[in-house]
Amino acid sequence: MTGQDTWDQTADVVVLGSGGAAMTAAISAHDFGAGDVVILEKTGMVGGTTAMSGGMLWVPGNHHQIEAGIDEADEDVVAYLDALAPGALDPDTLWAFMESGPEMIRYFADKTPVRFLAFSDFPDYQPYMPGAKPDGGRSLDNEAFAFVRLGNRATRVNPSKMAYPLRGSLMEAIRGSLDEATLAEREAGDYRGLGQALAGSLYLAVLDRDIPVEFEKRARKLVKDGNRVIGVEAEDANGKTWRVRARRGVVIATGGFEWNEQLVKTFLRGPLTGPVSVPENEGDGLMMAIEAGAQLANMQNAFWMQSVLEFKPQHRDAKPNYLLGSDERARPGAILVNRKGKRFVNEAANYNALGKSLHAFDAGSHAYANLPYWLIIDQRYRNKYQTFNTPPGGPVPSFMMQADTLEELAEIAGIDPAGLAATVARFNDMVRNGHDDDFNRGDNTYDNFYMWGDTEFEPPYRTLGVIDRGPFFAVKMEAGALGTAGGPKTNADAQVLDWNGEPIPGLYAAGNAMAAVLGEVYGGAGGTLGPGMTFGYIAGRHLGTEVESN
């Protein structure tokens, strides 16, 4: 290629993206000896989807788990994951995750401002499967992080999907363990939990290392010398090309392709109508990897999440904003129904597994049987629980339909009225009898987890409650996703492989931009961030210790 020596910037390692996996890769590469590291960020903000998320990490065998007295055995982890995706996981990359995940957690505890906490009672998402931890241990929470530590850089972190800042860890919020004095201190220091804590503390680690973040630099093309990737061509806010030389390598950590309608229709197993990630996840990294000759894997899968379209554009470029729908459906007095008014799933199941039920195809009607679908609740529910971004007893949001009877509500929503009335009547009878005979909702520890502290409904049926107090409400739900799970296939060192199974020199991938290490499996809370950050760590470590500057 001509003009290879014409560069606007040069570094040992160039990281594309600034989410959890990307910042982890940059920190790791720097600390393990890569020298100059630069981050190219498509927008003017850091944190990607990580900043908007729950921020938890699923990492079996982490030291917090062990210190809490929760033992781990490799054979249990393998048994659990293999039961969820029999024979579908690559042994080399799986072992790399199992071995390097705990190492990554320990490294961040020792070397960075990132502070994880043991969430010792957060169960695995399929606690009834072989090798699962039904009483928790593998998922890590984030200690609340004071954004005042970022100074004027705090405004550079992507906002949360939460309606209001969470001033403590998720554990503290669930258990209500913050008194008024502590809350006041947390507010004064602009403490934030969840993904805000993770993204903010990672960003501080980046700043502490003087790793530059080049904002509004959209990576468009990988520059190659023969088979080796030697740099990146990016586009700045004015459409001007910005070329960066990578002496050791490039890490693609640009997120998935869930906001690219063409790619979604080409690859995914079924409809994706409401992504909850940052709207810049348009598959930029995927397209660059394809052009560079990368082997692809897991392209049919996504990390599914139920969502709701908010009736006002909030994202950059006026793209629609979808609210998370993970908790509302699992609380007492809530069900999900399809257009026939019928329940079709255990509403308290984990969001990724539930998302797959939306792709059930009815050969008779030649349509997806459970799309569209609706959340059904009553006034008792609204009085007691926050519903998406509306506090208990708050005004009815614009996306929520209301009627005095179930039949009237069904007519407004486009649901079969007789079907809905019959479904609610049957559900109420089952609740009063103490068991969901149709879908066994409430029969495992995960189903009941989000009702921690609710004393009205006792275990094991905390998630069940009648729907009988009008007015009644319906919310049209979306087949959403936290991100896609497919992309360039990597080896155990996070190197991108070509179609012959050989590493493409100088090219690495991590996070949702790579083919997910666990395939379609979502082991527990943090099932994307745990593997994603682990492979960011692996990529940086390999670039720092095994690759020389060219």
Side-chain angles (χ1 to χ4, degrees), residues 300-472:
Q300 73 276 24
N301 293 314
F303 301 115
W304 302 104
M305 165 62 75
Q306 297 68 60
S307 63
V308 174
L309 174 62
E310 191 175 27
F311 287 171
K312 58 180 179 181
Q314 285 194 345
H315 279 315
R316 295 175 284 274
D317 300 324
K319 289 187 178 179
N321 185 44
Y322 294 95
L323 304 174
L324 291 165
S326 61
D327 300 357
E328 286 77 8
R329 55 185 168 75
R331 298 187 184 120
I335 58 172
L336 297 176
V337 300
N338 58 23
R339 66 172 69 88
K340 293 182 178 180
K342 294 183 177 180
R343 293 177 68 216
F344 56 90
V345 72
N346 169 8
E347 293 90 349
N350 79 82
Y351 39 84
N352 186 56
L354 195 154
K356 297 174 185 179
S357 71
L358 301 177
H359 297 146
F361 195 76
D362 183 347
S365 62
H366 203 76
Y368 289 100
N370 301 323
L371 286 172
Y373 71 115
W374 292 262
L375 174 76
I376 305 296
I377 58 176
D378 66 1
Q379 187 61 48
R380 178 193 288 108
Y381 182 105
R382 289 199 67 246
N383 288 342
K384 186 169 185 179
Y385 302 115
Q386 176 167 317
T387 313
F388 305 107
N389 57 357
T390 302
V396 178
S398 57
F399 52 78
M400 186 176 287
M401 294 164 273
Q402 174 180 348
D404 291 333
T405 69
L406 289 167
E407 289 83 359
E408 291 170 340
L409 182 67
E411 291 284 358
I412 295 170
I415 304 169
D416 178 72
L420 179 60
T423 292
V424 171
R426 173 169 173 76
F427 182 72
N428 288 345
D429 285 343
M430 290 189 296
V431 172
R432 293 185 182 106
N433 289 331
H435 188 258
D436 175 11
D437 296 335
D438 291 341
F439 297 102
N440 299 313
R441 176 173 163 184
D443 282 8
N444 66 73
T445 55
Y446 177 77
D447 285 3
N448 295 283
F449 180 78
Y450 282 103
M451 297 315 300
W452 183 284
D454 192 325
T455 57
E456 180 178 347
F457 300 94
E458 292 301 321
Y461 304 116
R462 280 202 184 110
T463 184
L464 299 177
V466 295
I467 304 170
D468 64 356
R469 184 179 300 175
F472 301 94

Side-chain angles (χ1 to χ4, degrees), residues 119-135:
F119 209 146
S120 57
D121 48 10
F122 202 124
D124 282 345
Y125 277 0
Q126 288 85 16
Y128 42 84
M129 299 296 279
K133 292 287 185 187
D135 298 321

Side-chain angles (χ1 to χ4, degrees), residues 23 47-56 141-142 147 157-160 162 166 192-202 529:
M23 288 194 281
T49 302
T50 299
M52 305 168 72
S53 73
M56 297 186 71
D141 195 4
N142 289 274
F147 265 59
V157 180
N158 265 327
S160 173
M162 298 286 288
L166 190 66
R192 307 182 197 178
L194 304 177
Q196 289 285 285
L198 180 55
S201 56
L202 283 169
L529 276 171

